Amino acid sequence: MTQGAGQGPVVRTATLRDFRVPPYAQVPVQSGEPDQHEQPHQPGPDGPLAAAPDGPPSGHPGNAVPADELPAEYTPTVRDLPVINRGDTVLVRVDPVETPAADGLGPLYAVGDVHGYLDELIAALAEQGLIDAEGRWAAGNARLWFLGDFTDRGPDGIGVIDLVMRLSAEAAASGGYCKALMGNHELLLIGAKRFGDTPVNSGAGTATFQAAWLLNGGQRTDMERLQDVHLQWMSRLDAVVEQDGHLLMHSDTTAYLDYGSTIDDVNDTVHQILTRNDADECWDLFRKLTKRFAFRDEGGPEAVRELLSQYGGQRVVHGHSPIPYLLGEVGTEETADGEEDSGPLVEGPHVYADGLAIAMDGGVTMAGKLLVVQLPLAG
């Protein structure tokens, strides 16, 4: 059996040393769960969303909405989330804790949001010893879970899906497995392909999957290369699983509770929604799974406990909300000689909510780190 490299303890920190806010992060975003720190929405000069011929759309993700109003419950997943300056960032240890695997299976790994960054994914998997120099599965009976969001924003989302699908077959042949969860961007891409510009009821006016997909970083090259096999694979992904006491899900939200009282119920309901192929129903699922930050503030630990008590497990492991925004620490630091410190932004997962939640989206879309981590973690 080939296990992941780097078996010794490693101390990583989720403290940001140098996070530069890119131009696209200057635009405030309206969320369906208003945050006291969010800035008021400033509507675009053109009113309702209009897609530019050679680029992504700007403004509101719908086609029949008043210029000064966003849908009350539309919560897009975009890079320009509001930054929460909290001042309570702490160092956390995220060393792998060696525990025997169930049923003779190997070590358990989780992968955060990839968003089309194929090269970064290959490098991160190789660093952990999960693939070899040719990109083939090299981890024997190890278990690997992707937490969703394979496409959008980055250059090669379809390449990411192809890699995950191939590794799934190779891992199974080696006695391990490589599996994936449904992210909100999978729902978005499925919706954009199936429904295009078909109007959906967003709760405040009309929206479309196509417009929302472009607004959220949809890449036209991904759509051009998208095949039925990719759509079928994404449509069959589960939304929630429990592994070795870890409740794995994509989004840091309690909205999963709306879809079932057990893990099987949730996954069956999501699959049924996608099978029924109803645009409004799919939109509502997408909208709910874009919600975020449920575990972050004062009521965060209780929200995590609610999920754990319902579905099982001792910790929630999620992606979706980039660690830079969960930490709310922005800016640069200067070294002793006055030069800006341009070191890594995120070194590892963020353990929070009284140690009950682990955030895995390292912010690869904002010059962060694509995280591939062995579970469980200390801390």
Side-chain angles (χ1 to χ4, degrees), residues 159-371:
V160 170
I161 293 176
D162 284 337
L163 174 64
V164 177
M165 292 173 65
R166 175 170 60 77
L167 291 178
S168 297
E170 293 174 357
S174 297
Y177 63 71
C178 170
K179 299 183 180 182
L181 293 178
M182 174 81 69
N184 61 305
H185 279 260
E186 281 68 64
L187 293 169
L188 191 55
L189 182 58
I190 292 169
K193 179 65 173 180
R194 286 185 180 178
F195 307 117
D197 288 322
T198 299
V200 294
N201 183 8
S202 70
T206 304
T208 73
F209 270 105
Q210 175 73 10
W213 173 70
L214 288 170
L215 176 67
N216 284 277
Q219 302 296 302
R220 298 181 190 278
T221 52
D222 282 344
M223 187 63 75
E224 291 167 357
R225 297 163 57 203
L226 184 64
Q227 300 176 23
D228 286 344
V229 64
H230 302 128
L231 288 169
Q232 292 169 5
W233 180 80
M234 288 189 291
S235 298
R236 294 169 182 163
L237 296 177
D238 284 338
V240 185
V241 297
E242 190 273 333
Q243 294 283 281
D244 297 356
H246 301 88
L247 188 62
L248 307 179
M249 58 183 60
H250 175 70
S251 303
D252 46 327
T253 178
T254 59
Y256 294 93
L257 295 167
D258 295 346
Y259 294 98
S261 59
T262 68
I263 288 176
D264 287 343
D265 288 344
V266 173
N267 294 329
D268 288 345
T269 300
V270 170
H271 296 154
Q272 290 167 12
I273 289 172
L274 293 176
T275 300
R276 284 193 290 269
N277 212 33
D278 180 277
D280 285 330
E281 196 174 22
C282 289
W283 177 268
D284 190 61
L285 175 62
F286 160 69
R287 177 185 63 83
K288 287 182 177 178
L289 293 192
T290 64
K291 294 179 181 294
R292 62 175 79 248
F293 300 147
F295 316 145
R296 187 189 60 186
D297 294 316
E298 183 177 354
E302 183 56 35
V304 178
R305 290 187 183 97
E306 183 179 11
L307 286 166
L308 296 175
S309 65
Q310 188 66 52
Y311 299 134
Q314 287 79 53
R315 268 182 170 176
V316 164
V317 182
H318 69 85
H320 189 48
S321 290
I323 291 171
Y325 291 114
L326 286 169
L327 294 173
E329 190 170 297
V330 177
T332 62
E333 292 184 0
E334 291 187 355
T335 61
D337 59 4
E339 296 294 326
E340 287 187 350
D341 180 359
S342 57
L345 307 179
V346 174
E347 291 286 351
H350 177 46
V351 181
Y352 69 116
D354 291 349
L356 296 173
I358 301 174
M360 285 288 301
D361 184 353
V364 67
T365 65
M366 52 186 71
K369 185 177 179 66
L370 202 163
L371 297 178

Side-chain angles (χ1 to χ4, degrees), residues 7-137:
Q7 297 300 318
V10 177
V11 178
R12 300 188 179 95
T13 173
T15 301
L16 303 185
R17 293 186 293 170
D18 177 23
F19 181 71
R20 297 172 179 81
V21 182
Y24 51 69
Q26 308 299 322
V27 183
V29 174
Q30 184 76 9
S31 169
E33 295 175 322
D35 192 293
Q36 62 180 342
H37 302 278
E38 290 185 7
Q39 302 176 29
H41 171 64
Q42 299 295 329
D46 300 323
L49 177 71
D54 298 321
S58 59
H60 179 266
N63 56 9
V65 179
D68 60 349
E69 180 181 343
L70 284 175
E73 296 192 56
Y74 179 64
T75 55
T77 302
V78 293
R79 291 180 287 184
D80 50 350
L81 294 169
V83 174
I84 315 302
N85 292 308
R86 299 174 53 82
D88 59 354
T89 300
V90 296
L91 297 178
V92 296
R93 292 187 64 87
V94 291
D95 311 327
V97 178
E98 297 298 331
T99 57
D103 302 323
L105 291 172
L108 176 67
Y109 291 83
V111 184
D113 300 35
V114 182
H115 282 301
Y117 285 83
L118 178 60
D119 291 344
E120 288 80 355
L121 174 60
I122 291 173
L125 292 172
E127 183 180 2
Q128 290 288 348
L130 295 167
I131 60 173
D132 60 22
E134 285 71 45
R136 301 291 176 179
W137 182 259

